[in-house]
Amino acid sequence: MRIFRYRDSGGLILGVMADDGSAFKLDEPDLITLWKAARAQGVMLSEFVAERIAESVPLSRQAESLDLAMPVDAPEVWAAGVTYERSRQARNYEATSGRLNADTFYDKVYEAERPELFLKSTAARTVGPGEQVCLRSDSAWQVPEAELGLVLDRDGTIIGYTAGNDMSCRDIEGENPLYLPQAKIWKRSCAIGPFIRLADTVADPYALAVSCRIYRGGVKMFDETANTGMLKRKLDELIVFLKRDNELFDGTVLLTGTCLVPPNQFTLKSGDRIEIEVETIGTLVNTAVNVHELDTASVAL
Ligand code: DO4
Ligand code: MG
């Protein structure tokens, strides 16, 4: 069961896609209101939504053909780093000018009890499906990072799972790790969506294929798939550290780290189409543009 939002003439509408693919409109304005209503009744969110579906007529269109929007207004997006071996290798490469097997702080954080967690984005910097993500003007080595996203409530309970893109500048981070905020945070450097699969309908979050595809002028430049089974950390472990002495807000998204990195020679260019797919959750599609080319009037691809 997957939650989404779509635009129609009346504004943003909350919807749910049932397992057979049929889509339904929900009366609640957003996921958090829905979550609270299920909690107030003491039932699982999927049960609560299933009852609604049973009483409703499906929409005449498939969810994918609607004008999909960001599925939740995440007040903050946090991200975990170096949670996969592939990310550790890539970070070591960029930090040591290719001298692999160097013992770096990335090796240390990969093994340490405390995970790397950083504030990735705020609501105003995060975009949804079909929207443009931006390329920094002072970086010559930029990549998307395909990541499983956890949608959390204020207690750190996982409401659902989504797909996320942690846009990253490898040259800026590689030059000096203290530049991490600049390598990670700028205008439209984070995308999430389009679907949130309800947590209580995911049998095993450690068995999801994650794919990243990049197209340039219709030509596929990168296409790889990994699996959340390769995650070094447990999701609960990441949440425990995120919550520690910290205040979380309903709808916070925690990206769990990338398991896919394009070849070292690759950098994103303006016009590239980025597809990030998480198995059973959905495919997030965005186009990269230079900041000065941003088309704020256009939200759909
Ligand atoms: O250490 C820097 C960030 C790494 C990261 O974003 C990732 O592993 O996904
Ligand atoms: Mg990342």
Side-chain angles (χ1 to χ4, degrees):
M1 208 174 273
R2 294 187 279 171
I3 297 293
F4 57 90
R5 281 194 303 183
Y6 62 102
R7 300 178 194 87
D8 82 352
S9 50
L12 277 181
I13 310 282
L14 192 69
V16 59
M17 194 203 295
D19 290 341
D20 68 1
S22 44
F24 299 83
K25 179 178 175 307
L26 293 167
D27 295 333
E28 287 75 9
D30 55 55
L31 174 70
I32 300 305
T33 309
L34 191 71
W35 172 249
K36 286 182 179 164
R39 289 230 137 173
Q41 284 194 14
V43 295
M44 308 266 263
L45 187 49
S46 62
E47 274 177 61
F48 186 79
V49 176
E51 275 183 29
R52 292 294 188 73
I53 288 178
E55 299 158 1
S56 314
V57 178
L59 296 169
S60 57
R61 293 170 63 181
Q62 298 277 297
E64 285 92 344
S65 73
L66 296 167
D67 185 8
L68 293 174
M70 195 151 48
V72 66
D73 292 319
E76 291 177 347
V77 178
W78 289 77
V82 200
T83 50
Y84 290 87
E85 174 60 27
R86 180 69 190 96
S87 179
R88 165 161 66 166
Q89 286 167 4
R91 305 287 87 88
N92 278 342
Y93 181 89
E94 68 213 22
T96 62
S97 310
R99 282 182 288 110
L100 292 180
N101 303 321
D103 190 19
T104 67
F105 41 83
Y106 294 113
D107 294 316
K108 286 188 190 141
V109 83
Y110 186 74
E111 302 293 347
E113 187 197 350
R114 182 190 293 274
E116 178 193 355
L117 293 173
F118 56 94
L119 183 64
K120 167 64 193 176
S121 191
T122 54
R125 293 182 179 85
T126 308
V127 301
E131 293 189 79
Q132 295 172 323
V133 288
C134 281
L135 297 171
R136 272 194 85 112
S137 59
D138 57 356
S139 167
W141 194 12
Q142 301 187 61
V143 290
E145 290 192 354
E147 307 196 7
L148 173 69
L150 315 180
V151 182
L152 306 174
D153 74 359
R154 64 181 59 205
D155 300 323
T157 305
I158 305 176
I159 302 174
Y161 300 94
T162 193
N165 179 358
D166 168 23
M167 293 282 286
S168 299
C169 299
R170 297 187 67 186
D171 47 358
I172 296 178
E173 182 179 341
E175 186 180 340
N176 189 323
L178 297 178
Y179 294 153
L180 188 75
Q182 295 174 76
K184 294 289 190 180
I185 308 167
W186 65 94
K187 190 182 220 172
R188 289 173 176 249
S189 63
C190 179
I192 56 170
F195 297 105
I196 297 171
R197 177 170 284 275
L198 300 185
D200 57 75
T201 68
V202 176
D204 184 1
Y206 302 101
L208 300 173
V210 181
S211 304
C212 181
R213 297 177 287 273
I214 304 170
Y215 296 86
R216 184 168 297 159
V219 177
K220 200 187 277 180
M221 307 293 290
F222 177 71
D223 183 358
E224 272 185 22
T225 298
N227 195 285
T228 56
M230 296 149 84
L231 186 63
K232 172 87 175 359
R233 309 262 178 187
K234 292 288 169 232
L235 302 178
D236 287 349
E237 183 188 337
L238 298 176
I239 295 168
V240 163
F241 277 93
L242 181 63
K243 276 175 59 175
R244 186 171 293 171
D245 297 340
N246 191 17
E247 187 176 8
L248 292 188
F249 307 100
D250 288 326
T252 291
V253 169
L254 172 58
L255 302 179
T256 54
T258 193
C259 46
L260 293 164
V261 183
N264 292 326
Q265 312 70 31
F266 179 85
T267 187
L268 283 169
K269 291 213 166 98
S270 186
D272 286 355
R273 174 186 166 97
I274 305 160
E275 294 183 1
I276 291 173
E277 180 173 2
V278 184
E279 186 182 3
T280 73
I281 294 174
T283 305
L284 171 64
V285 181
N286 299 97
T287 301
V289 293
N290 294 320
V291 175
H292 66 270
E293 293 167 339
L294 188 61
D295 174 7
T296 43
S298 140
V299 285
L301 280 181

